[in-house]
Amino acid sequence: MPKVKVDGVELEVPAGATVLQACELAGKEIPRFCYHERLSIAGNCRMCLVEVKPGPPKPQASCALPAAEGQEIRTDSEMVKKAREGVMEFLLINHPLDCPICDQGGECDLQDQSMAYGRGASRYHEHKRAVTEKYMGPLIRTQMTRCIHCTRCVRFSEQIAGVSEIGALYRGENMQITTYLEQAAKHEMSANVIDLCPVGALTSRPYAFEARPWELKKTLGIDVSDACGANIRIDARGREVLRILPRINDDVNEEWISDKARYQVDGLMKRRLDRPYLRRDGKLVPATWSEAFSAIATLNPGASIAAVAGDMVDCETMFAAKALVGALGSDLLEGRQTGMDYDTSSLASVNFNTTFSGIETADAILIVGSMVRWEAPLVNVRLRKAVRRGAKVFLIGPEWETTFGGEFLGEDLSVLGNLPQHVAEALSNASRPAMILGGAALGRGGLEAGLAAAAQFNLVRTLEDGSSWNGFNVLHMAAARMGGLMLGFAQKGGIADLVAAKPKVLISLGADEVDYARFADSMIVYIGHHGDKAAHAADVILPGAAFTEKAGTYVNTEGRVQLSDKAVFAPGDAREDWTILRAMADAFGVNVGFDSFDELRNAMISAVPALGVEDLVDYGTALNAGGGSASGAIAYPIKDFYMTNPIARASATMQQCSAELLHGEEIAEAAE
């Protein structure tokens, strides 16, 4: 490890570190625009200048200069100060200085660094250049006159997202950043360039002119649009959530989120259920809470009651429903709405065991029945990193446009039991082999065949360094799935067991993907937040809270327990889900053992201790015995990336993305 001096302080830095990283290890702030920890080094903004000896008697860009033994680095000399002032002066030559009307105002790197490192005045009086606006789709608003050519957006699109949609045209003063042929950016992670842009050139189109950052209350939350559990920040003003931004968590989402996680937020205010409803004479009519509970209680179901959990439900709500159903003498609980009935006796057999960060180190990966780009965009980013490290990827299923290459082997599940020789050899010879089973591969014997392949290729092993490796992964798509399985929301025969039991009352916890025609003889009590599919089938609607309107525990597809806080209150007469279930217990005359949220959470943790620790749950390494054969054409379950849940279906932004980006419709804009 080389030793360097930074402003007179000697320290050791890791081999391969840059001078900028050495300065940060010494606690020095180095301004930068083009440099980003997760992107390649460009060295084109020149803001990170420092003085380095031995070396030429001039400032040098610290982001692109390797730290070497014996270097003396000055970050606060007069030469450095004047050099940074000069660079900032050049950067502001053509910048329009329209901070009062810029959406980046208040959280703009250019603003902050011009105040900290600029001269305070400009010596240039020539006309500023102007750049025509570029169209980048319904999510990204452009003001390219502000662009300082840091190329972060270009490098993100090419290196992280893996889609070459954004690039640079022309040279020198005429350089422009644009999408190719000025088409919309269509990949599922496109809006992350808004966070990366250090100026106001790329801003959020749906959020434009909505609020200033100091007006917003910021709450820590967990994304529920898929099963990855991305860490997010919920920004709200009053009772309205205005935007969602990513939080840094290197183990889960690094600092990215999908476009759906970011922009389905406007659906939280539309099509909301804000009062109870009862079905009378075939029509849903408004009712009071007492009328709704009386109608439920008069049925007196006894043990003939069941509960089905939706894809975005928190663990506390599921535990409260389990306590209510159990107090009435029933154990009919299910969370797999579409009918899957795979074996859950060993949760390691249905978990993403390598973890998201671990899949990056795999050197041979077999993906079965998963269109990863739509089912888990954040895992898709990890797979790209694995391929860049040399991993070979093979896929079974209908072909789709991957961003990491890979070889498609066929569209039928039977391929899993008869892999081509070169694929079998690649998995057998790999030191870290991995398999990913998607939702389309869990039925028709797919899970059992996958477990048999896991045993055949020894996916669970001890590595040379003594660490353990479990390369068998199941990629779920529902944020509530792993938490529900831990709480017992799984019948041996799946939802068919609930249908066969013909319960008098079926409690639907935001379950909008169930075929309710199969429960024609049951009273369907829907506890949810949107007037979506299940609400139309319900006999009683009890308005609940969305994920931003309640605190809750979520377990992602890799078995990581995470907590989300309450950002805003639910609209109208809507209540938090657990309070509705507690009131239903009173209506049925049973005791569920809790009267407050803290008591509910403590009871849940007492029943399932793993839910009380914010970390990866240890499901063990023992996988169920596989066997049998799998067959049948694979059909991916997600047909429209932007329309996968009630919130997204209510979102005007997601509807526009679906129409324009997936279906090629032209969106007409009103004349101004």
Side-chain angles (χ1 to χ4, degrees):
M1 295 175 66
K3 289 185 178 181
V4 300
K5 278 188 177 181
V6 179
D7 292 339
V9 178
E10 188 175 76
L11 72 155
E12 283 189 340
V13 297
T18 64
V19 169
L20 187 149
Q21 292 168 327
C23 293
E24 292 200 328
L25 286 173
K28 302 294 181 178
E29 180 183 5
I30 304 296
R32 85 290 298 267
F33 292 113
C34 68
Y35 175 81
H36 191 276
E37 292 83 356
R38 302 186 197 277
L39 303 176
S40 63
I41 294 172
N44 54 11
C45 78
R46 318 308 290 179
M47 194 64 206
C48 62
L49 296 174
V50 295
E51 186 179 351
V52 181
K53 295 179 181 179
K58 63 177 184 179
Q60 299 186 64
S62 59
C63 69
L65 183 65
E69 182 71 32
Q71 282 178 335
E72 294 186 18
I73 304 165
R74 291 289 304 276
T75 68
D76 54 0
S77 67
E78 191 63 27
M79 177 196 293
V80 170
K81 182 174 179 293
K82 286 187 176 181
R84 290 174 180 171
E85 288 178 353
V87 169
M88 180 60 69
E89 200 171 1
F90 274 113
L91 289 173
L92 295 177
I93 289 174
N94 286 310
H95 194 80
L97 304 179
D98 54 352
C99 305
I101 62 165
C102 177
D103 272 312
Q104 198 88 343
E107 33 190 27
C108 174
D109 291 348
L110 188 62
Q111 268 187 335
D112 296 341
Q113 294 184 38
S114 63
M115 293 294 292
Y117 303 101
R119 290 184 69 249
S122 175
R123 293 170 288 179
Y124 288 85
H125 303 288
E126 289 78 4
H127 292 298
K128 292 177 181 286
R129 77 163 189 167
V131 182
T132 55
E133 303 314 327
K134 314 298 180 186
Y135 183 69
M136 292 192 181
L139 303 180
I140 304 171
R141 184 176 182 273
T142 64
Q143 189 81 31
M144 301 313 292
T145 303
R146 300 170 183 157
C147 180
I148 62 170
H149 305 155
C150 70
T151 68
R152 281 185 180 181
C153 55
V154 178
R155 285 175 284 149
F156 171 83
S157 297
E158 293 181 349
Q159 297 165 18
I160 306 298
V163 181
S164 297
E165 290 185 336
I166 302 178
L169 299 177
Y170 317 122
R171 300 185 66 184
E173 188 182 33
N174 296 320
M175 179 176 169
Q176 297 181 23
I177 302 294
T178 179
T179 52
Y180 294 108
L181 302 179
E182 295 199 25
Q183 299 295 313
K186 294 183 178 180
H187 64 83
E188 302 76 27
M189 306 281 287
S190 65
N192 287 287
V193 299
I194 296 168
D195 299 331
L196 287 172
C197 184
V199 296
L202 304 177
T203 55
S204 171
R205 187 178 290 273
Y207 177 70
F209 309 123
E210 286 290 333
R212 288 300 194 186
W214 52 86
E215 298 178 89
L216 304 176
K217 183 183 78 171
K218 301 165 180 63
T219 308
L220 306 185
I222 301 297
D223 170 47
V224 297
S225 65
D226 57 31
C228 293
N231 289 212
I232 57 174
R233 193 185 84 192
I234 304 165
D235 286 0
R237 182 176 60 191
R239 300 185 70 163
E240 182 178 1
V241 177
L242 292 181
R243 68 175 180 179
I244 285 178
L245 298 176
R247 287 188 287 132
I248 296 176
N249 186 328
D250 288 336
D251 294 325
V252 183
N253 58 303
E254 298 177 288
E255 57 185 271
W256 322 121
I257 54 173
S258 71
D259 291 349
K260 180 167 55 181
R262 186 187 299 264
Y263 283 119
Q264 68 177 6
V265 61
D266 64 321
L268 291 167
M269 296 298 291
K270 297 178 175 67
R271 300 183 188 173
R272 288 301 301 268
L273 299 171
D274 59 358
R275 67 181 69 180
Y277 287 85
L278 287 176
R279 189 173 295 277
R280 291 176 177 153
D281 299 325
K283 293 184 178 180
L284 288 168
V285 296
T288 64
W289 279 102
S290 58
E291 289 172 342
F293 286 130
S294 297
I296 298 169
T298 53
L299 198 60
N300 190 23
S304 184
I305 186 171
V308 57
D311 290 346
M312 301 190 293
V313 185
D314 57 292
C315 291
E316 284 82 359
T317 296
M318 288 188 282
F319 182 79
K322 180 180 181 179
L324 173 61
V325 171
L328 290 166
S330 172
D331 61 355
L332 294 174
L333 305 168
E334 184 56 74
R336 298 165 294 181
Q337 303 177 61
T338 55
M340 288 188 285
D341 59 355
Y342 48 80
D343 184 6
T344 61
S345 58
S346 166
L347 291 186
S349 300
V350 290
N351 185 50
F352 201 94
N353 293 294
T354 62
T355 71
F356 297 158
S357 58
I359 197 67
E360 296 177 12
T361 65
D363 47 6
I365 305 171
L366 176 64
I367 301 174
V368 186
S370 179
M371 186 178 177
V372 186
R373 274 186 68 172
W374 281 9
E375 295 173 14
L378 297 172
V379 175
N380 195 71
V381 170
R382 304 281 189 170
L383 292 174
R384 271 190 52 79
K385 295 170 78 172
V387 169
R388 292 173 70 181
R389 293 179 177 180
K392 298 177 181 178
V393 179
F394 308 97
L395 303 97
I396 300 175
E399 292 193 19
W400 48 279
E401 186 180 349
T402 73
T403 61
F404 48 77
E407 178 186 350
F408 283 88
L409 307 176
E411 298 186 9
D412 198 279
L413 267 175
S414 58
V415 178
L416 180 56
N418 188 25
L419 292 173
Q421 183 177 353
H422 70 285
V423 178
E425 289 177 355
L427 291 170
S428 299
N429 298 331
S431 60
R432 294 170 179 255
M435 179 186 300
I436 298 176
L437 294 183
L442 292 179
R444 294 165 298 171
L447 179 59
E448 291 74 19
L451 290 166
Q456 176 186 350
F457 298 113
N458 191 24
L459 297 188
V460 182
R461 60 178 66 179
T462 300
L463 301 177
E464 293 179 356
D465 60 3
S467 61
S468 59
W469 172 261
N470 188 338
F472 184 78
N473 302 301
V474 171
L475 183 60
H476 296 292
M477 294 171 286
R481 182 68 72 246
M482 288 305 294
L485 296 180
M486 292 173 68
L487 289 168
F489 272 72
Q491 297 293 310
K492 186 174 183 179
I495 205 165
D497 285 0
L498 272 62
V499 175
K502 296 183 178 180
K504 289 184 179 179
V505 174
L506 176 69
I507 300 175
S508 171
L509 304 173
D512 287 281
E513 316 304 327
V514 175
D515 179 8
Y516 287 101
R518 303 169 72 187
F519 294 96
D521 298 328
S522 304
M523 172 186 273
I524 299 170
V525 180
Y526 178 64
I527 302 175
H529 41 78
H530 276 77
D532 205 72
K533 301 174 184 177
H536 292 283
D539 298 299
V540 182
I541 294 177
L542 304 177
F547 73 103
T548 56
E549 298 156 3
K550 58 185 175 182
T553 303
Y554 297 92
V555 185
N556 72 355
T557 190
E558 59 176 354
R560 187 179 301 276
V561 179
Q562 302 184 108
L563 302 183
S564 180
D565 291 332
K566 178 177 179 176
V568 294
F569 289 95
D573 289 336
R575 300 289 182 266
E576 293 183 33
D577 300 357
W578 76 269
T579 64
I580 299 173
L581 293 161
R582 176 64 184 82
M584 284 181 66
D586 286 342
F588 287 133
V590 296
N591 179 28
V592 289
F594 57 84
D595 295 312
S596 68
F597 182 78
D598 288 339
E599 291 179 3
L600 166 61
R601 178 170 277 176
N602 290 336
M604 179 185 73
I605 294 171
S606 178
V608 186
L611 291 175
V613 182
E614 289 187 76
D615 200 356
L616 286 170
V617 179
D618 184 7
Y619 298 124
T621 58
L623 303 179
N624 288 334
S629 59
S631 63
I634 291 173
Y636 299 127
I638 296 180
K639 306 302 180 187
D640 189 327
F641 171 72
Y642 300 102
M643 298 278 120
T644 57
N645 64 66
I647 300 174
R649 288 191 283 266
S651 164
T653 304
M654 292 294 95
Q655 292 170 16
Q656 184 176 350
C657 286
S658 174
E660 182 177 348
L661 303 182
L662 295 185
H663 303 295
E665 298 180 19
E666 291 188 6
I667 307 299
E669 295 188 8
E672 295 183 359

